[in-house]
Amino acid sequence: MYSSDITCMREALKEAQVAFDRDEVPVGCVIVCGNRLVARAHNLTETLNDPTAHAEMQAITAATHAAGGKYLLECTLYVTLEPCAMCAGALYWAQIGRLVFGASDPKRGFSTVGDRLLHPKTTVAKGVLEDECARLLRAFFRKKRD
Amino acid sequence: MYSSDITCMREALKEAQVAFDRDEVPVGCVIVCGNRLVARAHNLTETLNDPTAHAEMQAITAATHAAGGKYLLECTLYVTLEPCAMCAGALYWAQIGRLVFGASDPKRGFSTVGDRLLHPKTTVAKGVLEDECARLLRAFFRKKRD
């Protein structure tokens, strides 16, 4: 079922929409191992009053619990926005097999810091459903300004 | 009571010792606001099967809960080992006022990645009780090899 990048990113987008509806910066994430979706999460920094409660951090914790181990070598993480340095650092420790993100983050994305944050074995794809991912973020910040 | 760097780092070392005794990589951390210790934690990655369960991550979450807000501008985080990129990224989001660490980590320390990980307002001091912090780590890895 979760066999294409588009299908999986749509699931991440559903999570981002939940965040939007809760007045959180709308970033959503899922982790897929094989064809199995093992974790889904959205940004909860406001709700939890916790600056570390990014979608990716929660999904990594959930997926390693589900996997019963600290590593996610066979898994792909889908996230609607390019991960920040914190989340890329977490993906390094988890040794995620593959990272797929939608919109780029030219301000705080991990690629602005350097290319040494992710594990050397991690492959990266970007721009999947980029427009939809970015549109939701723009709508959120527009709403905030109004 | 928690007015000097040495006193606070001794508390972080106590946490590192707890980690050591639990067969975790011995890194300990405390967060101090004013003269009040608001969070203490040690590495729990093995116990929790969670690669994100570094001492600093847990202490940041606990301190923001205690503070009732996402930011730790008036706080100092003491940690026995130089934070990794993930933890430095978390300290950026928390806008920690000051970071003090003991031993440097030439392999995965945030300073090996670049100087843009921490918030520009965060001040840094290093080498506090460095020998004791490093000795505990060396003893752990020696024990693991035997």
Side-chain angles (χ1 to χ4, degrees):
Chain A
M1 183 181 175
Y2 298 108
S3 53
S4 87
D5 285 349
I6 303 273
T7 308
C8 296
M9 191 60 85
R10 287 228 179 279
E11 293 301 314
L13 262 168
K14 284 183 197 166
E15 287 295 317
Q17 184 64 53
V18 177
F20 183 96
D21 296 341
R22 290 184 178 171
D23 218 24
E24 296 273 3
V25 175
V27 180
C29 174
V30 298
I31 297 180
V32 174
C33 296
N35 286 343
R36 208 159 60 90
L37 195 153
V38 295
R40 55 190 315 142
H42 55 266
N43 178 36
L44 279 172
T45 49
E46 297 300 325
T47 306
L48 299 180
N49 246 338
D50 184 347
T52 74
H54 285 194
E56 301 94 312
M57 300 303 286
Q58 297 174 77
I60 293 167
T61 297
T64 50
H65 285 189
K70 280 189 305 171
Y71 304 113
L72 300 172
L73 298 105
E74 308 297 325
C75 301
T76 301
L77 182 139
Y78 295 86
V79 60
T80 57
L81 179 66
E82 180 183 353
C84 71
M86 171 181 71
C87 294
L91 290 170
Y92 170 87
W93 292 118
Q95 297 187 27
I96 193 90
R98 187 163 172 254
L99 163 67
V100 181
F101 63 88
S104 291
D105 184 352
K107 217 167 153 189
R108 294 300 307 166
F110 73 93
S111 62
T112 65
V113 179
D115 54 2
R116 295 188 49 237
L117 286 176
L118 293 175
H119 197 277
K121 285 185 194 158
T122 302
T123 59
V124 182
K126 61 181 181 176
V128 175
L129 298 182
E130 183 173 7
D131 288 349
E132 281 150 90
C133 295
R135 203 179 304 136
L136 196 61
L137 282 154
R138 279 198 304 270
F140 177 81
F141 289 112
R142 202 181 309 123
K143 188 177 73 170
K144 281 285 165 194
R145 276 196 305 271
D146 290 345
Chain B
M1 184 181 174
Y2 298 108
S3 53
S4 88
D5 285 348
I6 303 275
T7 307
C8 296
M9 191 60 84
R10 286 226 178 281
E11 294 301 314
L13 262 168
K14 283 183 198 167
E15 287 294 318
Q17 184 65 52
V18 176
F20 183 96
D21 296 342
R22 290 184 178 174
D23 217 23
E24 295 274 3
V25 174
V27 180
C29 175
V30 298
I31 297 181
V32 174
C33 295
N35 286 343
R36 209 160 59 92
L37 195 154
V38 295
R40 56 189 315 142
H42 55 268
N43 179 37
L44 278 174
T45 50
E46 297 300 326
T47 306
L48 299 179
N49 247 338
D50 184 346
T52 74
H54 285 192
E56 301 95 312
M57 300 302 287
Q58 299 175 75
I60 292 167
T61 297
T64 51
H65 284 189
K70 281 190 304 169
Y71 304 114
L72 300 172
L73 299 106
E74 308 297 324
C75 300
T76 301
L77 181 139
Y78 295 85
V79 60
T80 57
L81 179 66
E82 180 182 353
C84 70
M86 171 181 72
C87 294
L91 290 169
Y92 170 88
W93 292 118
Q95 298 188 25
I96 194 88
R98 188 164 172 255
L99 163 66
V100 181
F101 63 89
S104 292
D105 184 352
K107 218 168 152 189
R108 293 301 306 167
F110 74 94
S111 62
T112 65
V113 180
D115 54 2
R116 296 188 49 236
L117 287 175
L118 293 175
H119 198 277
K121 284 185 193 158
T122 302
T123 59
V124 182
K126 62 181 180 174
V128 174
L129 298 181
E130 183 173 8
D131 287 349
E132 281 150 271
C133 294
R135 205 180 302 137
L136 195 60
L137 283 155
R138 278 197 305 270
F140 177 81
F141 289 111
R142 202 181 308 124
K143 188 178 71 169
K144 282 283 166 195
R145 276 196 307 271
D146 291 345

